[in-house]
């Protein structure tokens, strides 16, 4: 069993930055690829970024490419999402998820990011 807890969200102005963290419990964190998704009110959940188990490869969604960066520290059982040059349209609840196979095995509770114009 893995529990994921996101933190770092908040209210910022457009152009500012935030760093989200997702802390995982358990000893098998490094066996999971990690993902960040977001969901804005009235919209479908959107893929934001992912990182492989070792951190060798990362993928970022087109809407955030060049502004957001995903990283992980397996020694700390934590995955990060650096959000730069934030825009009002980035406002959403951000979730992290852990995946080993075809399905997403675990999800966090989410952290709210609100960007004012």
């Amino acid at each position: 069993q893995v529990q994921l807890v996101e933190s770092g969200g908040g209210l910022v102005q457009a152009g500012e930055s935030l760093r989200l963290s997702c802390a995982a419990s358990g000893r098998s964190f490094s066996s999971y690829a990690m993902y960040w998704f977001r969901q804005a009110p009235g919209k479908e959940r959107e893929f934001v970024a992912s990182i492989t188990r070792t951190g060798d490869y990362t993928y970022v969604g087109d809407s955030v490419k060049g502004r957001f960066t995903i990283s992980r520290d397996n020694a700390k059982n934590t995955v990060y999402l650096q959000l730069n040059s934030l825009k009002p349209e980035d406002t959403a609840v951000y979730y992290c998820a852990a995946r080993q196979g075809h399905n997403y095995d675990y999800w966090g509770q989410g952290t709210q990011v609100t960007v004012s114009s």
Side-chain angles (χ1 to χ4, degrees), residues 75-90:
K76 295 183 178 180
N77 283 8
T78 302
V79 61
Y80 304 98
L81 185 68
Q82 180 67 40
L83 293 66
N84 295 331
S85 302
L86 281 160
K87 304 176 181 180
E89 51 263 44
D90 295 318

Side-chain angles (χ1 to χ4, degrees), residues 1 3 7-8 14 16 30 34 46 50 61-62 65-66 82 88 97 101:
Q1 187 78 6
Q3 289 188 323
S7 62
E16 294 184 339
S30 60
M34 296 299 297
E46 176 188 15
S50 65
D62 289 341
K65 196 164 294 183
Q82 180 67 40

Side-chain angles (χ1 to χ4, degrees), residues 61-101:
D62 289 341
S63 62
V64 303
K65 196 164 294 183
R67 300 188 297 121
F68 292 8
T69 304
I70 187 172
S71 61
R72 69 188 296 162
D73 185 339
N74 286 344
K76 295 183 178 180
N77 283 8
T78 302
V79 61
Y80 304 98
L81 185 68
Q82 180 67 40
L83 293 66
N84 295 331
S85 302
L86 281 160
K87 304 176 181 180
E89 51 263 44
D90 295 318
T91 295
V93 178
Y94 284 71
Y95 299 91
C96 66
R99 177 178 175 181
Q100 282 188 320

